Each structure stands twice: as C-alpha cells, then as structure tokens.
C-alpha cells in the first residue's frame, strides 16, 4: 500500500511528497515485527533505489512468505534526487544532519520530523547509501562503537563484505541512524559502490542479506542466503592512502585486491608534462576496500583504503 508520509506545498503550485510502500500480511495480528528500509537521503546515491525496487518486487512475487511488516521509503530527499544533489535544493542543507527534525522548522527539518515520527516504533531500520562521486566502496555495514552489542550480530545477516565500527566521536548527531538508535530503533547504514551508478552485483548481494535479516526477525519465511561471519573491523584496522601531489590518478589495483606492503597501487601523473608526479604504494598489507574512482585529484585526496 502506497502511503504519503509528508506533503508540503511549494512554490508554483507544486507539492513535495515523501511516500512509502507499506507491505504487511493480509490478516495482521498486531504483533508483527517491523523493518524499515530508507534511501535517497542524498540525491546522487542511487544504489538504494535499485535495492528498494528489488525488495518490493520479491515480496510481491512471494507475498505468501511475508509474516511481518516492511516499510520502504525509497526517496527521503525527492528534490535532491530530481536535481542529482546531495543537499536539499534551494537550501543547501544536508538532510542527514537534520534528524529528528522539528515540526516548527524549515522545510528540511519539518520533513525530517515527519519521516522520523513515522519510522519510530520499528524494530530495525536500514539506511541505504552509496559512496560519493570520488571513491568506490565495497559493500559494508557501518555502525558506531556504542551500538556494537546491539548491532554487530544483526549486521552479519546483511551479506556485505565488511562491518566497519566507527568511534563515537565521528558520529553525525543529526543523522537518521544515530537519531533512531537514540530512541531504541536498531539502525544500520549500508555503503556500497559509487555515486551516480547502480552496481547490480553489489545491490543483489545486499537484497539477499536484507531477506536473510527479515527471516531472522520473523518477517519472512521464504528461502534466504545463510548468515555469514564477515570481518568486523575497527578504525585501527583500516589504513588510508592519501595523495601527496595533484594530477590525474591512474589506479593499478582495484577493490578486493590483496596487496603487500610496498606494492604499487597507482600513479599520479601530470598530463601537460607527461611526468609521473607520484607513485602510490601500499603502506601495509591487506585488502583494498576503497579505491579512488574520480581521477582528478589534489594533494591530500583519498586514493585508497586498505583493511589489514
């Protein structure tokens, strides 16, 4: 059932609407578990659009297997998606710092408050993201260290390649996941791929993981992939490789590649002189979990992350 979560009148007789697809058994008992999937907080991150589509399609195909409630919010920042913008167009506000929002606030705060209010009461919320324009990320769950006990085991069902625990001092206090965790809704963030693109292989893995988690929660009784004990890493396990010069980055390795300390990752070149300005070497051994995708760089730009 398609429901409108919030509607706000805009200029030129237009209306901003945020909608959800409410999927529930035909004869609910009132005791069903509830999972929320949200996407589209940033208008340049499209992976979540595909994931939401595939989850809804699979539920509709095997509706008889649905034993709980799934609320899917594909587009929390619809104007951002229309404009391919990470912010709310016209205001320049990052919607993911406005939660839990305010009913008396401006457009972003008001819509955030309505969405937040609608999600509160769910058992679990998954916030679907891609990376930005610049860096290609392997599929990963990101959680904060103060929620490890509540979220790590749930995260293992999601079929990603890594679970990355971030320290509390790096938390965006106004983010949706942080704000929901504060009120008892177990919330996780999934990152994968790169902005403006849909990697179907990554997305399909995550969709399988979502159904695995749904089975664990008692929301789904169909066949699912088995829970996997993917590696749980902390910040100290991830090494950042940053550029020491400017130019065009030409990668020699890709995500998932195993590298040894001192092995070449790529080079930075000057296209005017034809000179190689810098060769980037792996400072440690491990797997490349992030690699620079946008080739134009400046000194200090992230080139890669290696999980050791």
């Amino acid at each position: 059932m398609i429901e409108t979560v919030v509607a706000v009148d805009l200029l030129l007789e237009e209306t901003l609407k945020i909608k959800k697809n409410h999927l529930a058994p035909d004869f609910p008992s009132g005791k069903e578990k509830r999972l929320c999937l949200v996407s589209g907080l940033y208008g340049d991150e499209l992976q979540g659009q595909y994931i939401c589509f595939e989850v809804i399609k699979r539920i509709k195909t095997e509706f008889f297997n649905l034993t709980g409630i799934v609320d899917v919010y594909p587009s929390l920042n619809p104007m951002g998606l229309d404009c391919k913008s990470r912010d709310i167009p016209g205001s320049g506000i990052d919607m993911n710092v406005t939660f839990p929002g305010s009913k008396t606030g401006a457009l972003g705060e008001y819509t955030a408050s309505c969405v937040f209010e609608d999600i509160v009461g769910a058992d679990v919320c998954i916030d679907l993201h891609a990376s930005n324009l610049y860096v290609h990320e392997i599929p990963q769950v990101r959680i904060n260290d103060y929620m490890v006990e509540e979220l790590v085991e749930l995260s293992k069902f999601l079929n990603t390649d890594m679970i990355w625990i971030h320290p509390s001092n790096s938390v965006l206090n106004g983010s949706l996941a942080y704000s929901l965790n504060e009120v008892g809704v177990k919330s996780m963030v999934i990152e994968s791929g790169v902005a403006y693109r849909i990697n179907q292989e990554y997305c399909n893995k995550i969709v399988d993981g979502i159904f695995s988690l749904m089975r664990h929660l008692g929301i789904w009784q169909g066949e699912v992939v088995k829970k996997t004990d993917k590696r749980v890493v902390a910040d100290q396990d991830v090494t950042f490789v940053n550029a020491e010069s400017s130019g065009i980055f030409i990668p020699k390795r890709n995500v998932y590649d195993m590298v040894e300390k001192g092995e070449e990752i790529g080079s930075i070149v000057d296209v005017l002189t034809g000179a190689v300005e810098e060769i980037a070497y792996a400072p440690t051994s491990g797997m490349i979990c992030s690699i620079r995708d946008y080739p134009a760089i400046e000194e200090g730009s992230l080139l890669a992350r290696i999980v050791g």
Side-chain angles (χ1 to χ4, degrees):
M1 179 187 300
I2 307 300
E3 299 178 4
T4 298
V5 177
V6 56
V8 181
D9 290 332
L10 302 174
L11 299 175
L12 302 177
E13 299 182 353
E14 293 182 326
T15 303
L16 167 69
K17 292 183 179 180
I18 297 177
K19 298 182 179 182
K20 71 175 181 181
N21 195 334
H22 177 72
L23 300 149
D26 286 332
F27 303 102
S29 66
K31 298 180 180 180
E32 286 80 11
K33 295 285 187 178
R34 179 179 170 225
L35 170 71
C36 292
L37 297 179
V38 303
S39 180
L41 273 168
Y42 297 127
D44 62 351
E45 297 182 350
L46 303 178
Q47 299 267 97
Q49 305 296 294
Y50 181 90
I51 292 170
C52 289
F53 163 74
E54 284 293 330
V55 168
I56 293 169
K57 184 179 74 170
R58 190 181 301 188
I59 290 174
K60 286 185 172 181
T61 302
E62 302 179 47
F63 189 75
F64 55 88
N65 281 319
L66 185 66
T67 52
I69 297 170
V70 180
D71 281 331
V72 183
Y73 307 73
S75 179
L76 293 192
N77 180 8
M79 293 195 300
L81 283 165
D82 287 345
C83 298
K84 305 176 183 65
S85 168
R86 293 183 69 83
D87 299 326
I88 300 172
S91 68
I93 294 173
D94 178 349
M95 189 173 182
N96 206 29
V97 299
T98 62
F99 292 95
S102 169
K103 285 292 195 303
T104 60
L107 175 66
E109 293 175 305
Y110 176 74
T111 55
S113 71
C114 294
V115 169
F116 185 80
E117 186 177 85
D118 198 72
I119 295 174
V120 168
D123 295 280
V124 175
C125 180
I126 300 173
D127 186 6
L128 300 166
H129 286 262
S131 181
N132 55 35
L133 170 66
Y134 304 102
V135 179
H136 183 155
E137 303 272 10
I138 65 172
Q140 58 197 262
V141 181
R142 295 186 179 182
I143 60 178
N144 300 115
D145 57 6
Y146 66 94
M147 292 296 295
V148 166
E149 185 175 344
E150 294 86 350
L151 296 181
V152 165
E153 288 307 310
L154 290 178
S155 298
K156 291 179 180 179
F157 287 94
L158 289 173
N159 200 32
T160 60
D161 296 296
M162 185 172 78
I163 300 167
W164 188 354
I165 299 171
H166 287 278
S168 298
N169 60 9
S170 68
V171 179
L172 286 176
N173 291 355
S175 70
L176 177 61
Y178 175 86
S179 300
L180 287 172
N181 279 319
E182 286 291 288
V183 296
V185 180
K186 296 177 181 177
S187 301
M188 297 165 281
V189 174
I190 294 181
E191 298 264 359
S192 68
V194 67
Y196 298 113
R197 302 289 184 271
I198 292 175
N199 185 312
Q200 293 186 45
E201 179 184 355
Y202 289 0
C203 291
N204 288 329
K205 286 177 60 173
I206 293 167
V207 169
D208 286 340
I210 289 170
F211 277 90
S212 180
L213 177 60
M214 286 166 56
R215 177 68 180 257
H216 171 71
L217 295 172
I219 294 173
W220 186 254
Q221 60 183 9
E223 293 296 320
V224 299
V225 298
K226 292 183 179 179
K227 171 187 174 183
T228 54
D229 286 327
K230 295 297 184 181
R231 182 171 181 187
V232 179
V233 304
D235 269 17
Q236 60 265 29
D237 302 313
V238 181
T239 301
F240 289 61
V241 183
N242 295 94
E244 296 180 1
S245 54
S246 301
I248 295 297
F249 177 59
I250 303 175
K252 190 172 183 179
R253 307 306 298 265
N254 208 340
V255 290
Y256 295 112
D257 285 353
M258 300 299 298
V259 293
E260 297 295 328
K261 182 178 180 179
E263 188 174 342
E264 182 180 345
I265 295 174
S267 56
I268 300 169
V269 302
D270 186 322
V271 297
L272 178 62
T273 65
V276 175
E277 296 293 320
E278 177 187 349
I279 296 178
Y281 297 100
T284 187
S285 299
M287 182 185 75
I288 296 177
C289 61
S290 311
I291 194 76
R292 180 79 177 192
D293 192 74
Y294 189 78
I297 63 165
E298 298 178 353
E299 183 180 347
S301 296
L302 178 67
L303 301 180
R305 296 189 187 99
I306 300 171
V307 57

